[in-house]
């Protein structure tokens, strides 16, 4: 799993996930049934061949990370994400509480 920090910023939560070595295109975010899932997959092949086309060295590296977070109480339609310098930052706005309104009823 990757490291993630969650901060309460008043009207929203800020989730920072460390994903060094990944490109933005290798990261996906999915929200379903109040669960936010962050997936990151990376594969790299490094081949070195001699003049005859035979391998001198062949390395393969694969990495896959996945974490899920409960986001109940979050306005799912307003979630925003940015990825800079190996850190994915998500802005998770809190749902606005609907306060019961009172009204005066006129007597006829």
């Amino acid at each position: 799993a990757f490291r993630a920090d969650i901060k309460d910023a008043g009207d929203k939560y800020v989730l920072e996930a460390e994903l060094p070595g990944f490109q933005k295109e290798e990261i996906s975010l999915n929200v379903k049934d109040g669960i936010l899932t962050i997936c990151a997959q990376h594969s790299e092949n490094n081949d070195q061949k001699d003049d005859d086309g035979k391998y001198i060295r062949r390395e393969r590296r694969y990495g896959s990370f996945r974490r899920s977070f409960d986001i109940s109480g979050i306005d799912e339609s307003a979630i925003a994400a940015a990825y800079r310098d190996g850190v994915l930052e998500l802005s998770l706005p809190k749902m606005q509480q609907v306060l019961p309104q009172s009204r005066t009823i006129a007597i006829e």
Side-chain angles (χ1 to χ4, degrees):
F2 53 86
R3 189 177 126 138
D5 297 325
I6 302 172
K7 296 183 267 188
D8 189 343
D11 62 340
K12 66 181 177 182
Y13 293 103
V14 177
L15 186 149
E16 294 179 343
E18 294 181 3
L19 297 166
F22 288 93
Q23 299 298 316
K24 180 173 72 170
E25 297 77 23
E26 298 172 324
I27 301 169
S28 66
L29 305 171
N30 185 31
V31 175
K32 184 177 180 186
D33 299 328
I35 302 294
L36 168 70
T37 303
I38 301 172
C39 298
Q41 278 191 293
H42 179 73
S43 64
E44 181 180 320
N45 291 327
N46 187 2
D47 297 339
Q48 288 184 344
K49 297 181 182 182
D50 62 11
D51 295 334
D52 296 330
K54 296 179 184 176
Y55 288 108
I56 296 172
R57 182 178 73 157
R58 184 173 190 184
E59 294 183 12
R60 291 169 295 292
R61 193 174 81 179
Y62 301 97
S64 176
F65 298 98
R66 176 184 298 254
R67 278 191 74 180
S68 296
F69 300 89
D70 180 2
I71 57 169
S72 52
I74 299 296
D75 182 1
E76 294 179 7
S77 64
I79 295 174
Y83 183 67
R84 285 180 221 92
D85 300 326
V87 176
L88 175 67
E89 183 175 305
L90 294 167
S91 174
L92 306 167
K94 296 178 182 178
M95 293 283 276
Q96 299 296 321
Q97 291 184 344
V98 178
L99 300 174
Q101 295 182 0
S102 65
R103 64 182 185 118
T104 303
I105 301 172
I107 301 172
E108 295 181 27

